[in-house]
Amino acid sequence: MQPAQAKSVLPVVLLGCGGVGSHLLRHIVSCRPLHANQGVAIRVVGVADSSSLLVADDVRASGLDDALLSDLCAAKSAGSPLSSLLVRGHCQVFNKPEAMGKVIDAATMLGRTTGLVLVDCSATNNTVALLTDAVNHGCCVVLANKKPLTCAYEDYQKLTSNFRQIRFESTVGAGLPVIASVTRVIASGDPISRIVGSLSGTLGYVMSELEGGKRFSEVVKTAKSLGYTEPDPRDDLSGMDVARKALILARLLGQQISMENINVESLYPSELGPEVMSTTEFLESGLPQLDERIEERVKAASLRGNVLRYVGIIGNTGCQVGLQEVPKDSALGRLRGSDNVVEVYSRCYESSPLVIQGAGAGNDTTAAGVLADIIDLQDLFQKRA
C-alpha cells in the first residue's frame, strides 16, 4: 500500500535478486515508514533473475506488494524459481528471452509517463544494451553492477549520455560516498590530479595482515574461510575487480580509456591460473609458491618505513593497479581489516588529501548504497507523481 501523501512515486524494476538484490528488497520494505515521512514511495513493479521476470499485472497502477517481496527473497534463498510465486496472484512470470522484452515494454510504457528506475544488481555484462535502451526511453538507471560501466568506451558513452538519469555509487565503494565526493570536487572547479585507493576489501585485509609476519598463503586461506574472497580467490588476486573500479573513476574524471589501457598487476602468474589448475590445487600447492616473493616485497617496504598495499592509482595520464609501497602513517598505511580507503588529491587537497574510508564490501552495505541512489533520483519524479 503506497502512502497517499507521497510527492514522488518511483516505479522500480530490479535486475538481479541474489545477495545484493535481495537485501535491497528487504531495505525497501523496512524503510517504508522513513520514506513515507519524506514524501517518497518506491513501487517495485518487476524483479528479474538470470532466467525469468516477475512483474505486476498492471505496472502503470500497482506494484508487487511487500508480502510478495518478502516471499520472493525467501524463495530465492531457498533456491526456488520466481514462478513459484505465481500462486500469490496479481503478478505474471516471463521466461527468457521474452523476459527482457517485457522489461523494455515496461521502460517504453513508463519511461515517458510515470517514469521508471531500472536497478542493475546483477553480475553480468549482458545488460548494457537493455540499460541504454531504457535511458533512451526516459528511464533512470541505478547500478551496483560494475560491468556496464567498464564496457567498450563507445557503449559507455551511449549509456551515460544523460548523466543526470544515472547513479552508480555502489559500483566503487559499496555504500561509501566515493562517486558523490569525486563528483562534488569536480563540480566545484577544483581539478583532481590523482586518486589512490585500496578498493578491494579482500586485498585490503590480506595486505594489512602480512605486516604481522604471516605468510601470504596463510592469510589468503584465512580470508577465504571468513568469506572475504570469492569461491576461487584468484578472482580477487587477479586485480580485475580493482581495475574495473579504477576504470569507473578514471572515466568519471573524463579519461577516454578502456580496460586494455590499464596496467594490472596480478598477484599470481599465469602458470597458476584457472586454465592450468583447479581452485583446490591452487590453494594446496599453487598459493604457497607465492609466499617467498610476497615476503621479500613486504620486508623491502618495511626497511624503507613503508607498508605494501594493493591499490588503484588514477592520474592525469591514465591508471594502474597493483602493489605499491605507502607510508605507514598515511591513511592507506593505517588501513586494517576489510575497509576501503580512497585518497583524492586536487588543488585544494594536494598536501592533505580528501580521505574516504569505511566498509567497502558486503551485500547489506552495497544494497544500502543502491537504495540511497534510488532515493537520490526523487526530484526527477516529483512532476510525475
Side-chain angles (χ1 to χ4, degrees):
M1 185 72 67
Q2 303 298 345
Q5 70 273 26
K7 296 177 181 178
S8 300
V9 178
L10 287 73
V12 165
V13 170
L14 172 63
L15 306 178
C17 49
V20 174
S22 292
H23 274 80
L24 173 62
L25 294 176
R26 293 188 184 101
H27 281 318
I28 289 172
V29 172
S30 66
C31 289
R32 293 285 190 210
L34 171 66
H35 294 155
N37 288 335
Q38 298 171 344
V40 182
I42 296 176
R43 188 171 72 215
V44 181
V45 300
V47 178
D49 61 12
S50 59
S51 60
S52 56
L53 167 72
L54 180 74
V55 64
D57 280 338
D58 185 357
V59 297
R60 290 170 296 186
S62 63
L64 305 172
D65 65 54
D66 288 353
L68 178 56
L69 295 178
S70 297
D71 289 347
L72 186 156
C73 293
K76 291 300 296 182
S77 296
S80 302
L82 294 180
S83 58
S84 65
L85 299 165
L86 275 176
V87 294
R88 293 292 309 277
H90 306 296
C91 60
Q92 306 171 65
V93 170
F94 300 94
N95 295 320
K96 285 191 173 180
E98 185 184 14
M100 291 304 99
K102 291 298 179 180
V103 173
I104 289 298
D105 288 347
T108 304
M109 181 189 308
L110 300 179
R112 304 195 185 281
T113 54
T114 63
L116 177 69
V117 184
L118 197 56
V119 180
D120 188 355
C121 290
S122 71
T124 178
N125 56 8
N126 297 327
T127 59
V128 179
L130 174 64
L131 297 172
T132 302
D133 202 357
V135 169
N136 291 338
H137 281 98
C139 300
C140 294
V141 166
V142 171
L143 298 167
N145 182 9
K146 293 179 281 292
K147 293 177 182 177
L149 295 173
T150 56
C151 57
Y153 187 74
E154 181 180 355
D155 294 329
Y156 169 83
Q157 281 185 303
K158 293 177 182 177
L159 175 60
T160 59
S161 58
N162 194 336
F163 205 74
R164 67 193 294 265
Q165 295 173 219
I166 299 178
R167 299 291 185 276
F168 50 95
E169 187 67 78
S170 294
T171 60
V172 173
L176 292 177
V178 176
I179 300 297
S181 299
V182 170
T183 302
R184 285 178 62 87
V185 173
I186 294 171
S188 75
D190 182 14
I192 293 176
S193 58
R194 185 164 50 111
I195 298 175
V196 183
S198 176
L199 301 171
S200 164
T202 302
L203 295 179
Y205 170 84
V206 168
M207 302 316 298
S208 64
E209 287 293 299
L210 292 176
E211 294 170 41
K214 298 177 182 177
R215 299 184 73 81
F216 181 68
S217 57
E218 174 190 346
V219 173
V220 172
K221 289 176 182 177
T222 300
K224 187 176 188 302
S225 70
L226 292 172
Y228 289 165
T229 75
E230 296 294 329
D232 186 341
R234 286 171 294 191
D235 290 341
D236 300 288
L237 301 179
S238 69
M240 291 308 298
D241 184 61
V242 176
R244 290 188 187 97
K245 295 175 181 179
L247 178 58
I248 290 169
L249 290 172
R251 287 177 167 179
L252 189 61
L253 296 184
Q255 297 184 21
Q256 299 181 16
I257 63 173
S258 296
M259 286 298 293
E260 56 266 25
N261 303 122
I262 301 178
N263 182 17
V264 183
E265 177 186 5
S266 173
L267 294 183
Y268 66 87
S270 57
E271 54 265 28
L272 300 182
E275 301 81 6
V276 179
M277 60 176 61
S278 67
T279 302
T280 301
E281 291 171 329
F282 174 73
L283 290 170
E284 292 178 354
S285 60
L287 196 53
Q289 297 179 39
L290 306 175
D291 286 342
E292 184 176 353
R293 180 177 68 87
I294 297 294
E295 183 180 0
E296 289 175 355
R297 294 189 65 171
V298 170
K299 288 181 177 179
S302 181
L303 289 174
R304 288 185 280 269
N306 297 326
V307 293
L308 274 187
R309 293 291 181 263
Y310 194 94
V311 300
I313 302 177
I314 302 96
N316 290 326
T317 57
C319 59
Q320 61 184 35
V321 169
L323 289 175
Q324 294 285 331
E325 292 186 21
V326 300
K328 287 183 179 179
D329 60 352
S330 66
L332 284 163
R334 294 191 298 269
L335 176 66
R336 294 294 180 271
S338 59
D339 277 5
N340 281 185
V341 175
V342 178
E343 299 176 341
V344 180
Y345 294 84
S346 67
R347 184 187 67 240
C348 296
Y349 297 102
E350 187 55 47
S351 57
S352 181
L354 172 63
V355 177
I356 305 141
Q357 178 174 355
N363 292 332
D364 191 26
T365 306
T366 303
V370 173
L371 180 55
D373 271 352
I374 295 171
I375 295 298
D376 192 49
L377 291 165
Q378 63 179 291
D379 289 348
L380 300 181
F381 288 78
Q382 282 187 355
K383 295 180 181 179
R384 304 177 177 188

